Amino acid sequence: MATSRAWTFSHRGSPTDVLSLTSSHPIPTFPPSLNPSEQQEWILIKVSFAALNPGAIFQMALIPTFLRNKTCIPEMDLSGTVHDVWHPHATIESNTTSTRFRKGDKIIAMIPASHALPTGSGALTEYVALPARFAVHKPPQASFADAAGCLLTGMTAHQQVVEAGLRPGHRVLVNAASGGIGTMAVQMARHAVGPEGFVVGICSARNVQLVESLGADVAIDYTQHTNNKNNSLPAHLAQTFHTNPFDAIIDTLGHQSLYANSPAYLAPSGTYSSVGIKPPDFSIPAFLRAVWQMKLNEWWPVSRWLGGVGRLWRGVSMMEPTLEHRERIAEMLRHGQIRVVRDSVWRFEDVKEAYAKLGGLHARGKILVRVDETVGDDEC
Ligand SMILES: NC(=O)c1ccc[n+]([C@@H]2O[C@H](COP(=O)([O-])OP(=O)(O)OC[C@H]3O[C@@H](n4cnc5c(N)ncnc54)[C@H](OP(=O)(O)O)[C@@H]3O)[C@@H](O)[C@H]2O)c1
């Protein structure tokens, strides 16, 4: 049996505690062991780069073992080349049916939780077999490294822009504008509101220049504000924008206080579009409280007479994105409408250190891992 290297985990805990690097992970073979009768194309990918996402830390720390495969490989975003193609009705060698992919194609893929949890499949491995609908062709202009970092963040940011109902001329506030999703959201928001619109980003001082270079008219340094009622960030936003409020707020981190105070700086018809609610840590009680708050925001009446916040809250979910969602982001990358900001690129052996950086919640764009230096033609 041919084997390859992969990062795996079986127990629940932090990446440092539960991840281990194995060189004896079996290279998947076709036909796929999962429902081979399914009428769909599969590809075996030789992975070039993987991108890290906070969601993988949640997966390792929180998901009980009975809800997932016993042993899992983390991460959902990757780039690479097609090593093999399989289709139930095709002998690929004889080209009897047309498949979306051919051996050697350069691709990017995003593995949804609905596939990753039951199969244990993930991006931090040298070879992964996936239904072809999870992958799209890599735009030739984009490097393998950048392309690996665009799908989950790009699709989430795009969904937020759609939920926010942005139109040309709108005024929009983007929270956590320097993170993986935030850097995408600023670029997409700028595109949606046009030059006549107004984009404000919230980030720390070291990222102000970056956020403005991505299309924000102004970036606000949140570290200048404290929990003190008069000097808080919501108090500053209320003071600065109450006479000319935002048409939408895109929160790429999920700060409840920003939502709870939003009537002071978000127009009555405006939407607060959020990735969820940020739990204070990666523990189960904190996570359950965050989910409860999210459901309250979603289901409780908006009306202040009924105890609501007074502004519409919409949460986005990237549990089951479609092929069209993936194609849209690849197109944006192809046309230069978005670019991927690289926080850092890590060696495959240094994945635990890369997760320590991600877990600090101060990534500047994407944290990337070079899985296999022989795949792709990137310079780094
Ligand atoms: N709903 C969904 O489907 C979905 C999908 C993907 C991700 N998510 C969630 O979305 C969140 C963000 O993901 P991501 O990949 O963008 O994370 P990320 O790349 O780690 O970005 C985190 C960003 O947050 C900023 N930040 C930290 N503290 C802040 C504060 N107090 N105020 C404003 N900004 C602050 C940091 O900027 P500074 O360094 O400047 O502080 C950093 O740029 C995660 O919780 C993730 O789990 C949800």
Side-chain angles (χ1 to χ4, degrees):
M1 182 178 52
T3 60
S4 66
R5 295 193 309 163
W7 283 95
T8 64
F9 67 98
S10 303
H11 302 290
R12 245 175 346 113
S14 73
T16 323
D17 293 337
V18 301
L19 277 179
S20 62
L21 180 58
T22 172
S23 53
S24 55
H25 189 71
I27 296 177
T29 51
F30 288 144
S33 49
L34 181 85
N35 300 333
S37 58
E38 266 185 34
Q39 304 296 299
Q40 61 171 323
E41 178 183 342
W42 280 67
I43 52 175
L44 177 63
I45 302 162
K46 205 162 189 300
V47 180
S48 178
F49 281 85
L52 302 194
N53 290 289
I57 303 184
F58 281 109
Q59 186 197 357
M60 284 179 255
L62 296 177
I63 307 276
T65 40
F66 67 87
L67 287 179
R68 60 161 169 82
N69 196 48
K70 193 166 167 281
T71 301
C72 289
I73 296 171
E75 289 307 339
M76 33 238 149
D77 273 325
L78 63 99
S79 64
T81 54
V82 174
H83 194 68
D84 199 2
V85 185
W86 180 87
H87 191 284
H89 301 314
T91 310
I92 302 302
E93 277 69 25
S94 61
N95 272 333
T96 51
T97 199
S98 64
T99 51
R100 278 180 60 230
F101 293 106
R102 291 271 179 277
K103 287 182 189 179
D105 280 357
K106 299 171 179 181
I107 59 96
I108 46 181
M110 184 261 166
I111 311 170
S114 58
H115 181 84
L117 294 179
T119 63
S121 297
L124 283 171
T125 177
E126 288 172 333
Y127 290 88
V128 60
L130 295 175
R133 67 179 197 278
F134 297 159
V136 292
H137 287 97
K138 179 180 81 64
Q141 306 85 341
S143 65
F144 277 89
D146 287 346
C150 78
L151 283 183
L152 181 60
T153 53
M155 291 190 293
T156 310
H158 184 261
Q159 180 95 25
Q160 289 199 267
V161 166
V162 170
E163 291 288 351
L166 294 189
R167 290 201 303 276
H170 270 176
R171 297 164 59 79
V172 57
L173 176 68
V174 180
N175 186 35
S178 57
I181 302 172
T183 49
M184 290 288 180
V186 170
Q187 298 175 79
M188 292 179 192
R190 176 84 270 163
H191 190 73
V193 304
E196 66 273 40
F198 185 62
V199 181
V200 177
I202 297 173
C203 59
S204 63
R206 73 187 179 105
N207 291 322
V208 162
Q209 239 182 341
L210 166 73
V211 168
E212 291 180 350
S213 78
L214 294 171
D217 296 284
V218 180
I220 295 173
D221 173 11
Y222 71 83
T223 63
Q224 294 297 309
H225 302 279
T226 60
N227 286 335
N228 178 308
K229 212 172 135 207
N230 299 321
N231 185 37
S232 68
L233 181 63
H236 172 72
L237 293 171
Q239 202 175 23
T240 317
F241 299 107
H242 76 282
T243 51
N244 205 354
F246 294 104
D247 297 294
I249 296 178
I250 293 179
D251 187 346
T252 72
L253 202 52
H255 280 152
Q256 183 65 12
S257 65
L258 211 54
Y259 171 58
N261 292 287
S262 62
Y265 40 85
L266 177 61
S269 60
T271 299
Y272 193 101
S273 163
S274 183
V275 288
I277 297 292
K278 180 188 167 309
D281 53 59
F282 290 104
S283 69
I284 290 181
F287 178 73
L288 292 178
R289 275 195 295 275
V291 172
W292 175 243
Q293 186 59 64
M294 214 154 71
K295 292 298 158 203
L296 280 181
N297 287 353
E298 256 169 19
W299 294 338
W300 198 266
V302 170
S303 164
R304 295 181 95 169
W305 291 101
L306 298 170
V309 165
R311 296 295 180 271
L312 187 63
W313 189 92
R314 300 297 287 262
V316 303
S317 168
M318 271 305 120
M319 291 298 281
E320 204 53 65
T322 63
L323 177 58
E324 288 69 34
H325 288 127
R326 291 170 174 82
E327 294 280 15
R328 184 182 298 121
I329 302 306
E331 276 303 292
M332 288 184 182
L333 197 60
R334 192 187 324 275
H335 295 299
Q337 276 175 24
I338 50 170
R339 69 177 171 93
V340 174
V341 175
R342 288 188 199 181
D343 175 280
S344 45
V345 179
W346 299 74
R347 295 186 322 148
F348 194 53
E349 296 75 16
D350 297 334
V351 154
K352 287 190 181 189
E353 289 78 4
Y355 271 119
K357 169 113 209 255
L358 182 75
L361 255 190
H362 292 289
R364 190 173 196 255
K366 290 306 299 175
I367 293 177
L368 304 160
V369 175
R370 180 143 216 183
V371 175
D372 187 338
E373 294 189 6
T374 66
V375 187
D377 40 23
D378 277 18
E379 73 291 353
C380 68

